[in-house]
Amino acid sequence: MNFKSTWYLALLATLLSFHCYAQEHEWRVLDPTKTVLLALPQGKVVIELAPQFSAKHVAQFIKLVKADHYDGNKFYRVIDGFVAQGGPKDGSAVDKAVPLLSLEGDWPTEKNWQFTKVQDNDLFAEQTGFKDGFPLGYNPSENKAWLLHCPGVIAMARSNTPDSASSHFYITNGQAPRYLDRIMTVFGRVVYGMNHVQAISRTSVIEGEEPVPESDYTPMISMKMMSDVSQEQQIRLEIENTEHPIFQQKLADRRARKNAFFFKKPPPVLDICQTPVLTRLLKNNG
Amino acid sequence: MNFKSTWYLALLATLLSFHCYAQEHEWRVLDPTKTVLLALPQGKVVIELAPQFSAKHVAQFIKLVKADHYDGNKFYRVIDGFVAQGGPKDGSAVDKAVPLLSLEGDWPTEKNWQFTKVQDNDLFAEQTGFKDGFPLGYNPSENKAWLLHCPGVIAMARSNTPDSASSHFYITNGQAPRYLDRIMTVFGRVVYGMNHVQAISRTSVIEGEEPVPESDYTPMISMKMMSDVSQEQQIRLEIENTEHPIFQQKLADRRARKNAFFFKKPPPVLDICQTPVLTRLLKNNG
């Protein structure tokens, strides 16, 4: 191959890559093999898993879901404005049989690591932003990134030991408990049915109130991989592509608040956990 | 009165003031004339009003509550992770009869203005902190302070015009929409039953879903001043006194995270909206 044909190939590759970029969609379809369907008495919840960030936690969680580990488990630690935590009966045979996981709290970033930046000088991180729809923190000074404890993320509970998570998980249900970032493993986020998560019975009461009887705890009717659910029972969703220019323009618009409602402009900053990434039903659903 | 007796009086006053300070309680009893009892189908909600910060809004709200203005109204704009908004039917006679209110978004602070500081360099404010249990922002450079849109606050809705609030209100139900700070009037906060606020039916759906019929909207069964409720029906509460040294010590402890669970310490910062101010039932309630 001579120089000229190499040059033509390079040009072709460039054109193709531009073409692919132009075709990249504003929305992406959820992969049912990385998506969980949680049935609660009040309705259905869909969780997108993040194997690209928390590989071992997701692998173990999928294995447990496929083994019906969570079916019939209860949310036994539910604190308003904090978390809804569930899992098998503590110390039961099924509980003890689950292998312990090493913490995946943050990860080293490669040179030229890319993400959709949202904000500098966040209280808890040098930078915040999105990747694949997931809110994350990034400290360039350390070359480290991590998934954030925004409302509606799912993370593994653990004891005081860092590498002690197994199958008990929590879903954040209030103002982001960001102090848990990096010391817990976030491995997915609720993309549908967060209202049903918010309606999980609280098990925690205020001082002076009667404790909530265990019979009132909200059960997980079933937890299944979306790919293991019959076509008619599937909820097929699309998520905004946070790497698409249209999403990035939305961030800029949200920061500028040009709408007439804002007679006085707020500070031009964005709280990453208060920046929505939208979900919609896939057309011709099912 | 000679110099000596003046001196004795000054000493006595000093001793009394120390005595009063020492007696100041870690908890304060809610004043039933500044407290609202909202009955929802799913349970009871208690709201503490803030006449010391938003006098005109609270005065009008109390007047409306006493006139049974809200009884039977519905939450007609409920967005998960944002707000539950309710009020009378838009454009109805009862709606139009309510006078418009001037915005009470922030206020000028006097020299030596005091509050319990929580954090510097918050994204949206130079400083954040508490006063009388309410989360607020404070910009010393402007001598201005304001109530924050933390989860569970109640604020008046308005049109694009700043001074257009009347009786329609919203309660924040997700990550604090802090971009609304100072351009809306926050006038109270939920101190009990936030779980029931979280369970208000969402009226907003995702793209592709059927709209929610109005018959599914959550009604306000009744809204009354706690002082107008019979003794047996009252919920009598105490709130942590955010000006007490014990609360201030709790802030310091929360920032330091000395518990063994924190094998790696998080950044020593506090998100004001993720810093709890506790409520408890008054002993011998009712």
Side-chain angles (χ1 to χ4, degrees):
Chain A
M1 196 188 295
N2 62 18
F3 177 80
K4 206 168 171 184
S5 58
T6 313
W7 190 89
Y8 276 129
L9 274 177
L11 178 67
L12 187 67
T14 306
L15 286 172
L16 277 173
S17 80
F18 272 113
H19 182 68
C20 289
Y21 185 75
Q23 276 203 329
E24 193 188 328
H25 293 295
E26 187 189 346
W27 296 81
R28 65 185 166 83
V29 180
L30 273 190
D31 178 347
T33 67
K34 296 173 188 164
T35 307
V36 173
L37 181 64
L38 167 62
L40 298 178
Q42 58 266 42
K44 289 180 177 176
V45 177
V46 180
I47 297 164
E48 181 181 16
L49 301 174
Q52 67 275 52
F53 302 120
S54 308
K56 288 175 289 177
H57 278 68
V58 167
Q60 176 146 315
F61 188 73
I62 291 178
K63 211 167 162 182
L64 291 167
V65 168
K66 283 181 172 281
D68 303 331
H69 178 84
Y70 293 106
D71 297 9
N73 283 192
K74 288 189 168 183
F75 286 95
Y76 58 80
R77 182 177 179 242
V78 187
I79 302 169
D80 188 78
F82 186 44
V83 298
Q85 181 169 321
K89 216 165 179 62
D90 254 326
S92 61
V94 69
D95 185 30
K96 285 185 187 164
V98 180
L100 300 189
L101 288 157
S102 297
L103 183 75
E104 297 175 287
D106 55 21
W107 64 87
T109 49
E110 290 167 12
K111 219 183 153 178
N112 302 321
W113 183 76
Q114 298 282 318
F115 75 120
T116 298
K117 193 167 103 171
V118 168
Q119 188 61 49
D120 282 306
N121 301 320
D122 168 271
L123 262 189
F124 292 83
E126 293 172 21
Q127 298 181 9
T128 60
F130 290 106
K131 200 172 178 87
D132 306 338
F134 287 88
L136 47 76
Y138 173 44
N139 281 2
S141 68
E142 298 178 79
N143 292 316
K144 287 277 179 71
W146 61 94
L147 295 182
L148 300 180
H149 276 78
C150 291
V153 299
I154 181 170
M156 282 291 186
R158 60 165 174 81
S159 67
N160 285 355
T161 318
D163 302 333
S164 59
S166 59
S167 75
H168 295 249
F169 69 86
Y170 58 86
I171 302 175
T172 47
N173 68 4
Q175 182 79 5
R178 296 279 307 280
Y179 64 94
L180 296 175
D181 289 352
R182 310 181 77 175
I183 60 170
M184 306 299 290
T185 305
V186 174
F187 63 94
R189 71 179 192 97
V190 173
V191 292
Y192 179 86
M194 190 59 202
N195 52 328
H196 302 314
V197 172
Q198 289 292 8
I200 293 171
S201 295
R202 274 52 169 171
T203 65
S204 168
V205 297
I206 62 169
E207 193 182 328
E209 273 196 325
E210 294 293 317
V212 178
E214 272 194 47
S215 54
D216 286 358
Y217 292 4
T218 298
M220 308 178 204
I221 295 173
S222 72
M223 176 119 77
K224 294 194 187 309
M225 295 310 299
M226 194 68 85
S227 49
D228 294 338
V229 173
S230 70
Q231 285 283 334
E232 315 84 71
Q233 293 291 312
Q234 284 193 13
I235 301 176
R236 299 179 67 201
L237 300 170
E238 290 184 298
I239 307 287
E240 272 186 299
N241 187 344
T242 51
E243 279 63 64
H244 195 277
I246 290 182
F247 183 81
Q248 294 173 358
Q249 185 58 48
K250 281 178 75 172
L251 289 180
D253 292 346
R254 190 171 178 86
R255 195 184 302 276
R257 308 279 181 191
K258 284 185 185 152
N259 188 293
F261 182 81
F262 298 95
F263 69 94
K264 201 162 64 182
K265 301 299 170 209
V269 292
L270 292 175
D271 171 4
I272 177 82
C273 291
Q274 209 275 321
T275 306
V277 175
L278 300 185
T279 298
R280 68 178 185 189
L281 276 188
L282 187 65
K283 277 176 195 166
N284 309 315
N285 194 35
Chain B
M1 196 189 302
N2 62 18
F3 177 77
K4 205 169 170 185
S5 59
T6 313
W7 190 88
Y8 277 130
L9 274 176
L11 178 68
L12 187 67
T14 307
L15 286 172
L16 277 172
S17 81
F18 271 113
H19 182 69
C20 288
Y21 186 76
Q23 275 204 331
E24 194 186 327
H25 293 296
E26 186 189 346
W27 296 82
R28 65 183 167 85
V29 180
L30 274 189
D31 178 347
T33 67
K34 296 172 188 166
T35 307
V36 172
L37 181 63
L38 167 62
L40 299 178
Q42 58 267 41
K44 289 180 176 175
V45 176
V46 181
I47 297 164
E48 182 180 15
L49 301 175
Q52 67 274 52
F53 302 120
S54 308
K56 289 175 287 179
H57 279 68
V58 167
Q60 176 146 316
F61 189 72
I62 291 178
K63 211 167 161 182
L64 291 166
V65 168
K66 283 182 173 281
D68 303 330
H69 178 83
Y70 294 105
D71 297 7
N73 283 191
K74 289 189 170 186
F75 286 95
Y76 58 81
R77 181 175 179 244
V78 187
I79 302 169
D80 188 79
F82 186 44
V83 297
Q85 181 169 323
K89 218 167 176 67
D90 254 327
S92 61
V94 69
D95 185 30
K96 285 185 187 165
V98 181
L100 299 188
L101 287 157
S102 297
L103 183 74
E104 296 175 287
D106 55 21
W107 64 88
T109 50
E110 291 167 13
K111 219 182 155 181
N112 303 322
W113 183 76
Q114 299 283 318
F115 74 121
T116 298
K117 192 167 104 171
V118 168
Q119 188 62 48
D120 282 305
N121 300 320
D122 169 270
L123 262 188
F124 291 83
E126 294 172 21
Q127 298 180 8
T128 59
F130 290 106
K131 200 173 178 84
D132 306 338
F134 287 88
L136 47 77
Y138 173 44
N139 280 2
S141 69
E142 296 178 79
N143 292 316
K144 287 277 179 74
W146 61 93
L147 295 181
L148 301 180
H149 276 79
C150 290
V153 298
I154 181 170
M156 282 293 185
R158 61 164 174 81
S159 68
N160 285 355
T161 318
D163 302 332
S164 59
S166 58
S167 76
H168 295 250
F169 69 87
Y170 59 87
I171 301 175
T172 47
N173 68 5
Q175 183 79 6
R178 296 279 307 278
Y179 64 95
L180 296 175
D181 290 352
R182 311 181 74 174
I183 60 171
M184 307 300 289
T185 304
V186 173
F187 63 94
R189 72 180 192 97
V190 173
V191 291
Y192 179 86
M194 190 59 202
N195 52 326
H196 302 314
V197 172
Q198 289 292 8
I200 293 171
S201 295
R202 275 51 172 170
T203 64
S204 168
V205 299
I206 62 170
E207 192 180 329
E209 272 196 326
E210 294 293 318
V212 177
E214 272 193 47
S215 53
D216 287 358
Y217 292 3
T218 299
M220 308 177 206
I221 295 175
S222 73
M223 176 117 76
K224 295 195 186 309
M225 296 310 298
M226 194 67 85
S227 49
D228 293 339
V229 173
S230 69
Q231 284 283 334
E232 316 83 72
Q233 295 290 311
Q234 284 194 12
I235 301 176
R236 298 180 67 201
L237 300 169
E238 291 184 297
I239 306 288
E240 272 186 300
N241 186 344
T242 51
E243 278 63 64
H244 194 278
I246 290 182
F247 183 82
Q248 295 174 357
Q249 184 58 48
K250 282 178 76 172
L251 289 180
D253 293 346
R254 192 174 176 86
R255 194 184 304 276
R257 308 280 180 192
K258 284 184 185 154
N259 188 293
F261 183 81
F262 298 95
F263 69 93
K264 202 161 65 182
K265 301 299 168 209
V269 293
L270 292 175
D271 171 2
I272 178 81
C273 291
Q274 208 274 322
T275 305
V277 175
L278 300 184
T279 298
R280 69 178 185 189
L281 276 188
L282 188 65
K283 278 175 196 168
N284 309 313
N285 194 37

